[in-house]
Amino acid sequence: MTRRSILMTTASMAWLAAAAGARAEDQKAAQVDDIVVTGSRIAGGDRIAPVETVGRDVMDAAGIADAPQLVRLVTANSGSEAQVDQLNQPQSSGTAQFNLRNLGLGSTLVLVDGQRWTTSAVVATDGSAFVDINSLAPMIALQRVEVVKDGASAVYGSDAVAGVVNFITRHDVDRPEISAKYAVADGSEESVVQAIGGFDLLGGNLTLAASRFHRSALGSDERDFTQAERYGRAAWTAVTSYGQPGSYFRPSRNGFSPDPACGNPAFGSAYKNAPTESFCRLDYSDFFDLAPEETRTQLFADYRRPVGDMTVSLQAAWSSTETVARQSPSLPILAQSLTVPASHPDNPFGEAVLFRGRLLGAEAGASKADFEYRTWRLSAGLDGRFAGGWTWSLAATSSRQHVAYDKPDAIGSALQRALNGFGGAGCDPATGAAGVGACQYFNPFGSAYLGTGTGPIARP
């Protein structure tokens, strides 16, 4: 009994001592000095943030000849839209970006030899601005890629929240180099030709590089696993209730009815899930690209010359990317409700109805979206060294990207006038009569394609 009491007393005293020590530590922790976060660009300084380097030997071993393939070598990268995809990036097809730690396309700063590059002329679907790495420089002109895999806002600002990717280019190339790559798959092929060379010029060194990349299209209709029919046209596949023939809201029954032509053998990709189905659906799985057609040309020049204790550097780059992406025959009309009046000569419902669908169906074939990017960049720099080992650098850059974007669509106001009988280039709604002379009705029903309607046949 006595021994047990002594042990318990000892334990209690130890607990009291530990508690007192913890309170002392808490008070000490609350009295810390000021914390200062400092970013530094001092050359050769210790790196606190983790840095991953992808060298030229790694790129060559992986067969990387295109910038979108480069993002796969960076372990911290996740969520890049580095492949043309009309479903996920319909407004930025033909571009590629880094997305470190999946914090957003606009949260990674991209540099070329430590200098900024212009943001792309297009934005991602979520509105993010980014640097298009397809426009930087030929892959053969890269010496390495340095990736800061942690936030670097203290040095570079808010566009480096996720980190920094710095493309370091090659200088002083000893001998000309030429590389070529050709890859082929069933239905598609890809080729890349690159060259680089170095020359002595006016006491300095000039490096020139060029590349030409081309990929042919591979359509979703060329692979079974991308076709909705393989999965019984399940709801999660590429099917839609906005079809052609379409569906119409009828006030008399307070619900939708499919176009009477839905189910006609002439419309092979239009169907109803059941005979009493309210919507005419469209299987549009055959109208997209797994690998769209893309052609890219890049030119790069770098000149460096010592002048006394200083080094003058000049850099120029130019890039052209052309992408042709297939998409559904026409886009669904979602922005407004279009009314087909009861007076329309092809209206089979005998009352004014609201149109739900698209103007062109599968029979019109896939439509195409064209993207043309033109990018240029000029950079000049002057580097020197102070006494005592300090260095200084002065640089200026100018860069720009221009995009020409052509994607067919319908103008809602003009379409509504045509449904009312005032369509046609020579029709004046103020003086004309509906369906008379130059003023014509547009027929949105399946009877236009079947040739049984009075309105003009819808064509792409």
Side-chain angles (χ1 to χ4, degrees), residues 397-455:
T397 63
S398 178
S399 57
R400 181 177 182 179
Q401 184 177 83
H402 174 269
V403 59
Y405 174 60
D406 183 10
K407 190 171 186 177
D409 203 347
I411 301 176
S413 57
L415 177 56
Q416 183 60 72
R417 289 195 299 269
L419 293 175
N420 292 336
F422 294 99
C427 177
D428 184 356
T431 59
V436 178
C439 296
Q440 300 179 359
Y441 281 98
F442 178 81
N443 183 3
F445 300 97
S447 60
Y449 183 81
L450 296 176
T452 58
T454 60

Side-chain angles (χ1 to χ4, degrees), residues 269-329:
S269 296
Y271 69 99
K272 295 181 290 184
N273 285 329
T276 58
E277 169 78 75
S278 298
F279 299 109
C280 187
R281 303 181 182 274
L282 172 67
D283 175 0
Y284 63 95
S285 59
D286 290 344
F287 303 107
F288 294 93
D289 288 321
L290 301 176
E293 182 179 359
E294 185 172 348
T295 303
R296 182 164 54 256
T297 303
Q298 292 177 290
L299 303 175
F300 177 80
D302 181 275
Y303 179 73
R304 297 174 186 266
R305 177 186 177 184
V307 179
D309 295 334
M310 301 178 295
T311 300
V312 176
S313 60
L314 302 173
Q315 201 172 86
W318 179 85
S319 174
S320 171
T321 301
E322 298 180 2
T323 300
V324 179
R326 296 195 318 153
Q327 58 186 11
S328 60

Side-chain angles (χ1 to χ4, degrees), residues 118-414:
T118 186
T119 55
S120 177
V122 297
V123 296
T125 304
D126 63 359
S128 299
F130 56 87
V131 173
D132 177 18
I133 62 175
N134 274 343
S135 66
L136 300 185
M139 295 298 296
I140 198 172
L142 294 183
Q143 181 64 36
R144 66 185 184 277
V145 178
E146 296 181 349
V147 182
V148 179
K149 300 186 293 184
D150 205 350
S153 298
V155 178
Y156 295 102
S158 61
D159 49 353
V161 169
V164 181
V165 178
N166 191 12
F167 287 75
I168 308 299
T169 60
R170 300 173 65 182
H171 313 133
D172 301 323
V173 178
D174 296 332
R175 59 183 185 274
E177 300 176 18
I178 299 177
S179 69
K181 175 184 176 182
Y182 178 79
V184 60
D186 183 15
S188 179
E189 59 182 8
E190 182 177 293
S191 62
V192 184
V193 178
Q194 303 182 95
I196 190 172
F199 312 90
D200 293 330
L201 179 66
L202 302 176
N205 181 264
L206 174 65
T207 302
L208 299 176
S211 69
R212 175 77 171 181
F213 169 86
H214 177 75
R215 179 182 56 226
S216 62
L218 176 63
S220 56
D221 57 338
E222 298 182 74
R223 293 292 186 268
D224 289 340
F225 64 86
T226 55
Q227 297 181 25
E229 284 186 327
R230 175 175 180 177
Y231 307 99
R233 286 174 171 166
W236 52 267
T237 58
V239 297
T240 176
S241 60
Y242 286 83
Q244 177 52 245
S247 306
Y248 297 84
F249 182 82
R250 301 175 60 184
S252 62
R253 58 177 296 180
N254 195 30
F256 283 90
S257 293
D259 189 306
C262 188
N264 189 296
F267 302 105
S269 296
Y271 69 99
K272 295 181 290 184
N273 285 329
T276 58
E277 169 78 75
S278 298
F279 299 109
C280 187
R281 303 181 182 274
L282 172 67
D283 175 0
Y284 63 95
S285 59
D286 290 344
F287 303 107
F288 294 93
D289 288 321
L290 301 176
E293 182 179 359
E294 185 172 348
T295 303
R296 182 164 54 256
T297 303
Q298 292 177 290
L299 303 175
F300 177 80
D302 181 275
Y303 179 73
R304 297 174 186 266
R305 177 186 177 184
V307 179
D309 295 334
M310 301 178 295
T311 300
V312 176
S313 60
L314 302 173
Q315 201 172 86
W318 179 85
S319 174
S320 171
T321 301
E322 298 180 2
T323 300
V324 179
R326 296 195 318 153
Q327 58 186 11
S328 60
S330 62
L331 300 176
I333 299 173
L334 305 174
Q336 67 183 100
S337 297
L338 298 171
T339 301
V340 183
S343 59
H344 194 294
D346 298 300
N347 186 343
F349 299 110
E351 61 179 324
V353 292
L354 299 181
F355 174 58
R356 175 192 174 99
R358 61 190 71 208
L359 299 185
L360 300 176
E363 293 67 34
S367 62
K368 294 182 179 180
D370 297 321
F371 299 80
E372 295 182 3
Y373 300 90
R374 299 289 186 272
T375 310
W376 59 262
R377 177 179 183 265
L378 297 174
S379 176
L382 190 63
D383 299 280
R385 182 178 296 275
F386 291 117
W390 289 88
T391 62
W392 58 270
S393 177
L394 178 66
T397 63
S398 178
S399 57
R400 181 177 182 179
Q401 184 177 83
H402 174 269
V403 59
Y405 174 60
D406 183 10
K407 190 171 186 177
D409 203 347
I411 301 176
S413 57

Side-chain angles (χ1 to χ4, degrees), residues 32-168:
V32 298
D33 295 333
D34 294 339
I35 298 175
V36 179
V37 178
T38 304
S40 175
R41 295 188 182 182
I42 298 176
D46 293 336
R47 293 170 174 171
I48 300 177
V51 176
E52 179 179 353
T53 300
V54 180
R56 173 141 207 91
D57 55 342
V58 175
M59 290 185 280
D60 289 341
I64 302 298
D66 190 28
Q69 302 171 0
L70 182 62
V71 301
R72 301 200 302 264
L73 298 181
V74 179
T75 57
N77 191 81
S78 175
S80 290
E81 297 178 359
Q83 176 66 47
V84 179
D85 185 346
Q86 279 293 287
L87 292 178
N88 294 325
Q89 54 174 136
Q91 300 176 15
S92 56
S93 296
T95 64
Q97 337 73 13
F98 274 95
N99 188 358
L100 295 181
R101 298 185 288 159
N102 201 20
L103 292 181
L105 303 182
S107 298
T108 299
L109 177 63
V110 177
L111 306 174
V112 176
D113 291 327
Q115 303 299 321
R116 294 175 182 264
W117 196 278
T118 186
T119 55
S120 177
V122 297
V123 296
T125 304
D126 63 359
S128 299
F130 56 87
V131 173
D132 177 18
I133 62 175
N134 274 343
S135 66
L136 300 185
M139 295 298 296
I140 198 172
L142 294 183
Q143 181 64 36
R144 66 185 184 277
V145 178
E146 296 181 349
V147 182
V148 179
K149 300 186 293 184
D150 205 350
S153 298
V155 178
Y156 295 102
S158 61
D159 49 353
V161 169
V164 181
V165 178
N166 191 12
F167 287 75
I168 308 299

